[in-house]
């Protein structure tokens, strides 16, 4: 009898341990990440720097013509963008950032916080200088602006079925911008612009960019943009790619 009771008790303890282990694994936060680690779930009404970090990464998941403000306030626009991000990657689209959302973001970002398919070496070409210096804002600000653009491009790439988006230009210093014949107030000077070349067709890129949070979209039909799509964040909407119906 003692042997049977001991065996039964051991089995029960093992079952309890197994259940506890599963609960800890599923209820706890997502694993830590070399770039940035969220330590709490976020939903409507939350605020803080962790909300701003989330907003930066889902800025390309807005609806037509929208631009997500990176303000650290989890409002309706952030909830909607997060829900689209979740749906786009096959997650539960509940508008709540928890372990499933964070683990997907960790999969998508490199140790320096750039998204999987884009890098600072692409956006900081700066006429061969490969830095963010000499523009209209500090190098740190230009770098942050470029990072947001890269996350929007990551969203755009995913929405286009994973087609490669090659960048021909990103941040420019004043001297670089002058040598490139850029406008004196070009968004390239702020690190908030990128020029896209390659496949799919330029018009397909331009049309899809309207759903990726870009306020400025210039392409075929607009002077000097026959061979690339220019996208940027600038505070107001300006789209012009007449050959693409934009």
């Amino acid at each position: 009898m003692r042997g049977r009771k001991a065996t039964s008790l051991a089995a029960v303890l093992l079952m309890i341990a197994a259940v506890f282990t599963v609960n800890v694994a599923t209820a706890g936060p997502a694993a830590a990440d070399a770039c940035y680690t969220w330590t709490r779930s976020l939903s409507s009404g939350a605020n803080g720097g962790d909300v701003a970090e989330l907003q930066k990464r889902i800025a390309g998941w807005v609806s037509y013509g929208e631009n997500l403000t990176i303000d650290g306030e989890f409002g309706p626009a952030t909830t909607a963008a997060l829900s689209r991000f979740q749906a786009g990657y096959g997650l539960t689209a509940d508008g709540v950032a928890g372990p499933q959302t964070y683990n997907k973001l960790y999969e998508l970002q490199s140790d320096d916080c750039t998204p999987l398919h884009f890098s600072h070496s692409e956006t900081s070409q700066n006429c061969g200088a490969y830095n963010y210096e000499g523009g209209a804002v500090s190098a740190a600000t230009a770098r942050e602006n470029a990072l947001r653009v890269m996350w929007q491009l990551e969203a755009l790439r995913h929405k286009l079925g994973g087609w490669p988006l090659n960048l021909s230009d990103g941040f420019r210093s004043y001297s670089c911008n002058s040598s490139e014949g850029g406008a004196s107030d070009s968004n390239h000077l702020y690190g908030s612009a990128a020029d896209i070349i390659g496949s799919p067709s330029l018009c397909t890129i331009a049309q899809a960019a309207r759903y990726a949070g870009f306020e400025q979209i210039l392409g075929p039909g607009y002077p000097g943009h026959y061979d690339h799509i220019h996208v940027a964040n600038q505070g107001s909407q300006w789209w012009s790619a007449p050959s693409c119906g934009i």
Side-chain angles (χ1 to χ4, degrees), residues 132-200:
Y132 290 105
E133 299 175 357
V137 293
S138 70
T141 297
R143 184 183 178 91
E144 279 300 301
N145 290 343
L147 191 59
R148 175 193 169 122
V149 170
M150 281 188 270
W151 278 102
Q152 289 174 258
L153 291 171
E154 185 72 23
L156 176 59
R157 186 184 191 278
H158 190 74
K159 292 175 183 180
L160 289 171
W163 282 97
L165 297 177
N166 300 312
L167 306 187
S168 62
D169 208 353
F171 171 79
R172 297 175 189 163
S173 64
Y174 278 108
S175 59
C176 177
N177 188 60
S178 178
S179 68
E180 293 284 338
S184 61
D185 60 347
S186 172
N187 285 305
H188 287 287
L189 295 165
Y190 298 82
S192 57
D195 292 344
I196 311 169
I197 57 176
S199 60

Side-chain angles (χ1 to χ4, degrees), residues 6 8 66 69 95 108-109 120 127 144 163 178 200 202 211 232 235:
S8 299
E66 286 187 325
T69 301
L108 291 174
Q109 65 186 16
H120 285 297
C127 290
E144 279 300 301
W163 282 97
S178 178
L202 294 180
Y211 297 85

Side-chain angles (χ1 to χ4, degrees), residues 1-14:
M1 293 294 290
R2 288 184 179 179
R4 291 180 182 175
K5 288 183 177 179
T7 301
S8 299
L9 179 60
V12 171
L13 290 174
L14 285 173

